[in-house]
Amino acid sequence: MIQPIQRAAVIGSGVMGAAIAAHLAGAGIRCLLLDLVPAQLTEAEAQKGLTLEHPAVRNRLAVNAITRLKKTKPAPLYSEAFAERITPGNLEDDLPKLADVDWIIEVVVERLDVKQELFGRIEGVWKPGTIVSSNTSGISINDMVASCGEEFKRHFLGTHFFNPPRYMKLLEIIPGATTDPEIVSYMHEFCERRLGKGVVVAKDTPNFIANRIGTYGLLVTLRNMLEMGYTIEEVDAVTGPALGRPKSATFRTLDLVGLDTFVHVAANVHGQTAATAEKDVFSAPDVLNRMVELGWIGEKQGQGFYKKV
Ligand code: NAD
């Protein structure tokens, strides 16, 4: 029996998780926003005499994400007041609360091992009827829940939102090999009618459709820039405003996505393709890896191809 979605839980409060929670809140859906418990106190927390056991510290990542949502422009929230529909928390203390929601969306770092471990934990508290999905950019839906039980797998699928979720209409739905077709059609209709998305149902192939094509295009453009000596500004000028895409030029897009996430997404296709020419395209150029090493991972850190001033 499918539970109509009234309450949701978003796990991972980074670039996408926080913005997805905001989109759900805008659609009138109450949601939990959960992240990890920080391993260390900040200076400010230590000065206030807080300990790692204090709820303000334990929920810090999700709380900060909600604060960010209120400040970010263009606004991820339809109204600041809708932020009250989002309850911040952490995975250690709030895991049992996942039994009380109708839809659990995983939006953590793009790594198969991390996602697999998380789905194992979620399954431990999950109740049949609750839909579970991943916002992965392209990791195999079947692989992520390979060790989970059949009933859990029946309720599991990919729901791939695009960045920023408030403005990007596209949403890919990716059924796994054993996802219940009724759940696929329920989510198709729910995401279109309630969330205002334009749904494309994709097969469980590496990076699905949009990121397979999109990642290819971004990497070829980056290589061309390096080989031909184009500047970042030149490439963005001809791949952005001149094409009627004011905000989605090549390097601005990479900064928005996060270079760390992009490197994982490229590696996902690289690892799953046998053709040499394809492998060459999907191996991230050194400059990208170096930028990630330096922590220049894009807007979320204030520095990527562009610097936030
Ligand atoms: P991010 O790095 O901004 O955020 C990831 C968040 O997950 C962090 O807050 C981190 O603390 C948390 N996290 C890490 N491990 C965790 C765990 N085990 N349990 C709970 N929380 C954990 O990443 P992002 O850009 O938001 O990407 C998240 C997912 O969405 C990835 O699968 C990514 O491929 C996908 N995605 C990203 C974009 C994009 O443009 N950035 C677009 C579509 C899909």
Side-chain angles (χ1 to χ4, degrees):
M1 245 328 243
I2 299 170
Q3 281 167 210
I5 295 173
Q6 279 158 359
R7 295 155 308 168
V10 177
I11 306 181
S13 66
V15 171
M16 287 302 284
I20 290 170
H23 192 73
L24 299 187
I29 299 159
R30 294 204 159 271
C31 62
L32 290 171
L33 179 62
L34 308 182
D35 209 298
L36 298 170
V37 176
Q40 283 179 332
L41 295 174
T42 61
E43 233 172 77
E45 287 165 347
Q47 273 168 8
K48 282 189 209 152
L50 300 179
T51 65
L52 283 173
E53 296 314 308
H54 196 285
V57 176
R58 297 177 77 73
N59 295 341
R60 186 215 303 148
L61 293 176
V63 170
N64 286 354
I66 296 170
T67 311
R68 235 178 21 245
L69 286 175
K70 293 181 183 172
K71 291 188 188 154
T72 307
K73 299 224 172 355
L77 278 168
Y78 290 78
S79 146
E80 208 180 283
F82 291 173
E84 278 162 29
R85 295 185 184 147
I86 307 172
T87 307
N90 70 76
L91 259 186
E92 300 305 319
D93 304 328
D94 299 319
L95 193 68
K97 293 186 185 162
L98 297 181
D100 302 326
V101 302
D102 312 305
W103 180 18
I104 301 168
I105 317 165
E106 170 278 309
V107 198
V108 306
V109 61
E110 184 74 345
R111 273 183 38 196
L112 177 62
D113 57 337
V114 174
K115 291 186 191 282
Q116 282 176 329
E117 197 262 342
L118 182 58
F119 286 120
R121 292 179 72 191
I122 294 173
E123 189 180 20
V125 292
W126 168 83
K127 292 225 183 83
T130 298
I131 294 166
V132 186
S133 72
S134 171
N135 188 56
T136 178
S137 297
I139 294 178
S140 162
I141 298 300
N142 294 322
D143 289 357
M144 274 188 280
V145 291
S147 311
C148 296
E150 289 311 310
E151 192 57 8
F152 188 80
K153 287 181 191 170
R154 247 177 26 81
H155 290 75
F156 182 68
L157 73 172
T159 50
H160 181 205
F161 290 78
F162 287 77
N163 190 5
R166 177 167 176 185
Y167 297 97
M168 295 293 285
K169 194 167 166 75
L170 178 60
L171 185 140
E172 287 178 324
I173 285 189
I174 312 103
T178 52
T179 312
D180 182 340
E182 270 187 43
I183 290 182
V184 177
S185 38
Y186 173 82
M187 287 306 281
H188 193 151
E189 188 170 325
F190 177 84
C191 292
E192 290 203 334
R193 295 227 175 145
R194 190 76 188 271
L195 302 185
K197 296 295 170 195
V199 170
V200 172
V201 178
K203 294 191 197 69
D204 189 14
T205 50
N207 284 9
F208 318 131
I209 303 174
N211 271 339
R212 179 69 170 73
I213 297 167
T215 310
Y216 189 96
L218 287 168
L219 284 165
V220 168
T221 308
L222 176 56
R223 283 224 166 69
N224 269 280
M225 179 188 87
L226 296 169
E227 281 168 25
M228 305 293 171
Y230 309 146
T231 67
I232 290 168
E233 290 80 3
E234 283 165 356
V235 173
D236 271 3
V238 297
T239 57
L243 294 179
R245 301 159 71 206
K247 293 197 177 4
S248 51
T250 303
F251 294 101
R252 291 221 177 268
T253 299
L254 285 168
D255 275 3
L256 183 76
V257 166
L259 304 196
D260 52 340
T261 299
F262 183 73
V263 165
H264 286 308
V265 174
N268 187 41
V269 187
H270 182 266
Q272 295 188 62
T273 183
T276 314
E278 293 274 274
K279 265 206 177 310
D280 286 349
V281 173
F282 285 104
S283 70
D286 291 345
V287 65
L288 269 186
N289 292 319
R290 181 77 185 120
M291 287 174 77
V292 173
E293 271 167 36
L294 290 169
W296 297 354
I297 56 174
E299 284 185 8
K300 59 185 164 186
Q301 284 299 327
Q303 161 87 62
F305 287 99
Y306 293 89
K307 190 167 184 167
K308 217 173 180 174
V309 280

